[in-house]
Amino acid sequence: MKKQIYLSSAFAILFGLSVQAQEKDKPKDSNMNTEEVRVVKSYEATVIDAFKIKDTPQIGDEDNEKQVIKYSIYSFPVASTFAPEKGKAAKVDKDSLSSFFNNYALLGYGNFNTLQGQLGIAEKVSDDVYVAGFLNHISSQGGIAGVLVDDNYSKSNLDFNVGSRKTTNDWNLNFGVSQQNYNWYGLPTDVAIFAPAEYDGRDFGQKYNDVHFGFNYNSNKGAFDGGSLKFKHFWDAFDSRENHFLINPKFNFVLEQSIVNLDVKADYVNTQFEDELISGINTKSNSLIVGIEPNIRFIADDYSVQLGFGLANVSGESNGEKQDSFVVYPKVKANYDLVKDIVIAYAGAEGGVYNNTYANFVGENPFVSPDLRLLATKQNFNFYIGMKGKLYHNISYNIRASYMTEDNKAMFVNNPKVPSFDLLNSQVYQYGNSFGVTYDTVDTFNAYGELNLNFSDDVTIDLSGEYNSYSAKNGSVFNLPETKLTAKLKVDFTDQWFGGLDMYFVGQRNDMGYVNDGTGDLERKLVKVDSFADLNLNVGYKATDKWTIFAKGNNLFNQSYQSWSNYKVQGTQVLVGAMYKFNFKN
């Protein structure tokens, strides 16, 4: 499969649909132009979060009352096999003209036989109720130089939504299915020699499927704030199965000078891996987290403070190892206006506990082996302090430093290769071409900064960077880069022409791998995965109110870098296509 990172740009914002009329204000945080469709609720896609710009929580006057939230479709027009950031989806159309549409269809084609198609539908059933649907497909036939086995991939989603918005409450029910096809094509050919008989005729493919549904409810009055319920059934081509259930009701109580909030969470996951060819046994994991997070908030004209904590009980079993612990963590944060509406100082101490799931690991790295050890991760605390504000009316910034400690932090590590004489009796993910998960207690120091420049509504520049220093209790950290840099430029040349540029840099990472010991034998040891830079460019033309033509080039440096150990990426990718917008009703 090309790489797990590449799909995120096509799915950065998968789905948002609405029955409301669109506004003419353009989103200022996208890197292309968009036809914006306002929605009541949106489907949240799972995508790679390699280095998402951090949005520091701010407690302000807006916390006193429930706000009307508008969601938008940002249809991404290009099937990119590189997208290291879970960022804003690229715009595909301008919204500066007066004609707006609820529905759209999009089709694009590029080299490497890359195909992308999307269809988004939103219809109003009554004044308060809407229905919506979204179909998305992206695929590539591969063609990376030097790869011994198939490296094609595909990913398809189909989602349905029905919802209602009233003055006192709103709700949304969604249901969907998805399928992903990948190949474990990352054989360590730089150090190991594979005879054709060892891989010819073998199917190195993996297929992931899921069925999911969710329900969200928000109340605008009373103590019950709302909540969410989610369920996902996930399975693969190797008979792995996982059920994940999450319920999260919320309550708040308004006092004279403060607001008391109570969040309740029940998170249950049950996973079973079948590895009969190797061991003849099943690998089973289950974990239940039950927790509450009470807090009280004090809000004034120039400051706001939240004081709270979390209590959670973790119970379950992973491969016969019992999990049973009680966790206490802080939920404290505050901000202060140093200069009203210009400079804000903020700080906090937060923590939490969450389940690691097979589905989530696949979302980050689709080349994992179907025999993972699953444990809950505990974030004991995350202390942070920062400042954000404006240097000028059109220049904003955010700087932050943080220190975090996590128990059972999950990290991907390359799996060892079985001996050559046993390859044909092994699974296809045992060629040194898959990843397992290792856990450790990890301390992380993070320094982060971003700068946003808006020269006009038509030109924006976003710069961000971060540095991480890791310390693991039992050894090295794996696949966690120290440095990440991002630069984005968006330009609307005219009412019809628009474009954008993205550049990314990811620093070196540690992993386990093989080196030649000088005698011809392979020695397994800690290795470095090289840093890389990537440049992406897009351009679009709004031919009419209904038709938009676009093109995008990815990996314009044409580097054959590794997204993961041994997984080289496609070279320069170019995709062109068109989007058509329409309404069923006049």
Side-chain angles (χ1 to χ4, degrees):
M1 210 21 268
K2 288 316 137 209
K3 47 183 174 171
Q4 171 262 354
I5 295 180
Y6 38 24
L7 290 177
S8 67
S9 63
F11 297 95
I13 302 248
L14 262 183
F15 182 55
L17 296 165
S18 172
V19 293
Q20 298 182 2
Q22 301 179 15
E23 297 179 354
K24 295 171 69 174
D25 296 334
K26 290 184 285 187
K28 292 183 172 60
D29 55 357
S30 297
N31 61 354
M32 291 177 60
N33 291 307
T34 305
E35 181 68 35
E36 185 173 303
V37 183
R38 297 298 183 188
V39 301
V40 176
K41 281 290 179 180
S42 68
Y43 166 74
E44 296 180 356
T46 300
V47 292
I48 297 93
D49 198 0
F51 44 104
K52 177 182 177 182
I53 288 181
K54 282 72 176 173
D55 183 13
T56 302
Q58 176 180 348
I59 314 165
D61 294 338
E62 70 275 7
D63 292 320
N64 278 317
E65 57 181 297
K66 306 231 169 91
Q67 301 293 309
V68 175
I69 300 175
K70 294 178 180 179
Y71 300 80
S72 302
I73 283 183
Y74 297 108
S75 306
F76 188 58
V78 184
S80 169
T81 57
F82 176 79
E85 178 183 15
K86 176 186 176 181
K88 306 297 182 183
K91 294 182 180 181
V92 298
D93 207 350
K94 293 180 67 68
D95 48 10
S96 58
L97 301 181
S98 59
S99 298
F100 300 101
F101 304 88
N102 289 331
N103 314 306
Y104 78 99
L106 180 148
L107 184 65
Y109 181 78
N111 62 332
F112 298 99
N113 284 323
T114 301
L115 176 68
Q116 183 180 17
Q118 291 183 0
L119 176 65
I121 304 294
E123 287 299 324
K124 200 173 181 180
V125 177
S126 66
D127 289 341
D128 301 324
V129 179
Y130 69 91
V131 294
F134 181 71
L135 174 65
N136 190 87
H137 172 82
I138 180 171
S139 61
S140 173
Q141 296 306 306
I144 298 175
V147 172
L148 298 180
V149 300
D150 289 340
D151 60 329
N152 57 290
Y153 75 89
S154 68
K155 183 173 181 179
S156 302
N157 289 53
L158 177 62
D159 284 273
F160 299 97
N161 277 250
V162 58
S164 171
R165 178 183 290 276
K166 299 180 180 179
T167 56
T168 57
N169 63 72
D170 62 80
W171 58 266
N172 171 263
L173 177 67
N174 65 75
F175 170 80
V177 296
S178 73
Q179 183 179 94
Q180 307 170 63
N181 294 279
Y182 299 88
N183 287 277
W184 283 293
Y185 68 86
L187 280 66
T189 53
D190 289 345
V191 294
I193 298 175
F194 295 89
E198 294 173 340
Y199 58 83
D200 276 351
R202 299 205 70 181
D203 182 3
F204 283 77
Q206 169 68 297
K207 180 183 293 185
Y208 302 111
N209 306 274
D210 81 66
V211 176
H212 55 268
F213 72 84
F215 179 75
N216 296 277
Y217 177 81
N218 295 298
S219 175
N220 295 321
K221 66 178 184 179
F224 181 57
D225 203 26
S228 62
L229 184 152
K230 298 178 181 179
F231 174 78
K232 176 184 284 189
H233 178 64
F234 184 83
W235 72 99
D236 68 11
F238 287 76
D239 294 327
S240 306
R241 297 177 295 280
E242 180 174 83
N243 294 305
H244 188 193
F245 180 84
L246 177 66
I247 184 170
N248 181 206
K250 300 180 180 182
F251 306 87
N252 70 41
F253 310 90
V254 180
L255 306 180
E256 271 190 38
Q257 302 294 329
S258 61
I259 302 172
V260 176
N261 293 279
L262 177 64
D263 288 2
V264 181
K265 179 175 73 171
D267 184 350
Y268 176 75
V269 60
N270 181 288
T271 311
Q272 179 172 307
F273 297 105
E274 296 213 14
D275 198 10
E276 296 179 357
L277 181 61
I278 303 302
S279 62
I281 62 174
N282 296 333
T283 302
K284 298 180 180 179
S285 299
N286 65 81
S287 177
L288 172 63
I289 299 174
V290 179
I292 59 172
E293 294 180 352
N295 67 72
I296 184 169
R297 291 180 288 174
F298 303 94
I299 301 172
D301 290 339
D302 56 355
Y303 74 90
S304 58
V305 177
Q306 173 182 299
L307 303 175
F309 60 92
L311 301 173
N313 185 75
V314 183
S315 60
E317 183 177 352
S318 180
N319 300 358
E321 177 184 348
K322 293 287 186 181
Q323 293 188 87
D324 191 3
S325 59
F326 187 75
V327 185
V328 181
Y329 50 89
K331 299 293 287 186
V332 177
K333 52 188 176 181
N335 60 44
Y336 180 74
D337 286 352
L338 295 175
V339 181
K340 186 66 175 176
D341 297 326
I342 296 179
V343 181
I344 298 173
Y346 61 88
E350 301 189 65
V353 58
Y354 58 89
N355 277 321
N356 290 301
T357 71
Y358 184 35
N360 288 345
F361 283 147
V362 168
E364 295 180 62
N365 181 351
F367 311 115
V368 293
S369 56
D371 57 358
L372 304 177
R373 179 169 169 248
L374 301 178
L375 299 174
T377 294
K378 305 165 190 174
Q379 186 183 99
N380 298 316
F381 60 81
N382 180 14
F383 297 125
Y384 59 85
I385 184 170
M387 184 179 298
K388 57 185 177 180
K390 295 182 178 181
L391 296 176
Y392 196 57
H393 69 90
N394 62 343
I395 303 176
S396 61
Y397 67 92
N398 181 19
I399 55 176
R400 179 179 64 251
S402 65
Y403 183 77
M404 175 173 60
T405 292
E406 296 172 282
D407 291 339
N408 288 336
K409 181 177 179 63
M411 296 172 286
F412 296 110
V413 62
N414 184 252
N415 284 325
K417 170 184 172 293
V418 301
S420 296
F421 64 81
D422 203 31
L423 276 178
L424 293 180
N425 297 319
S426 68
Q427 298 279 28
V428 293
Y429 52 80
Q430 293 186 305
Y431 283 60
N433 57 340
S434 67
F435 294 82
V437 177
T438 186
Y439 298 88
D440 204 342
T441 296
V442 178
D443 298 334
T444 305
F445 169 77
N446 172 270
Y448 171 80
E450 65 176 301
L451 187 66
N452 308 111
L453 302 92
N454 296 312
F455 295 106
S456 68
D457 287 342
D458 297 327
V459 181
T460 62
I461 298 175
D462 299 320
L463 307 173
S464 67
E466 67 176 281
Y467 169 78
N468 296 281
S469 177
Y470 304 101
S471 175
K473 180 179 179 181
N474 297 317
S476 299
V477 297
F478 300 99
N479 284 299
L480 298 176
E482 286 187 346
T483 307
K484 303 170 186 176
L485 304 173
T486 304
K488 295 184 177 184
L489 168 68
K490 180 191 76 70
V491 180
D492 292 345
F493 302 105
T494 68
D495 286 342
Q496 280 72 41
W497 285 97
F498 56 88
L501 180 149
D502 303 333
M503 183 179 293
Y504 305 95
F505 174 83
V506 178
Q508 278 188 340
R509 295 147 286 163
N510 293 328
D511 204 344
M512 295 299 296
Y514 290 98
V515 296
N516 195 310
D517 65 0
T519 66
D521 294 330
L522 298 181
E523 179 184 359
R524 185 166 171 82
K525 61 186 297 185
L526 189 71
V527 297
K528 295 287 187 181
V529 182
D530 289 339
S531 60
F532 64 85
D534 194 283
L535 176 66
N536 307 308
L537 180 68
N538 61 73
V539 64
Y541 175 69
K542 185 181 177 76
T544 68
D545 286 356
K546 293 186 176 183
W547 283 98
T548 299
I549 302 169
F550 58 83
K552 178 157 182 153
N554 282 353
N555 192 9
L556 296 182
F557 292 141
N558 198 30
Q559 292 186 336
S560 184
Y561 58 81
Q562 298 181 57
S563 58
W564 299 96
S565 296
N566 306 316
Y567 279 89
K568 297 179 180 179
V569 305
Q570 292 176 344
T572 297
Q573 306 135 38
V574 178
L575 185 142
V576 298
M579 183 180 77
Y580 176 73
K581 303 175 297 296
F582 59 96
N583 285 327
F584 287 119
K585 303 176 182 178
N586 294 328

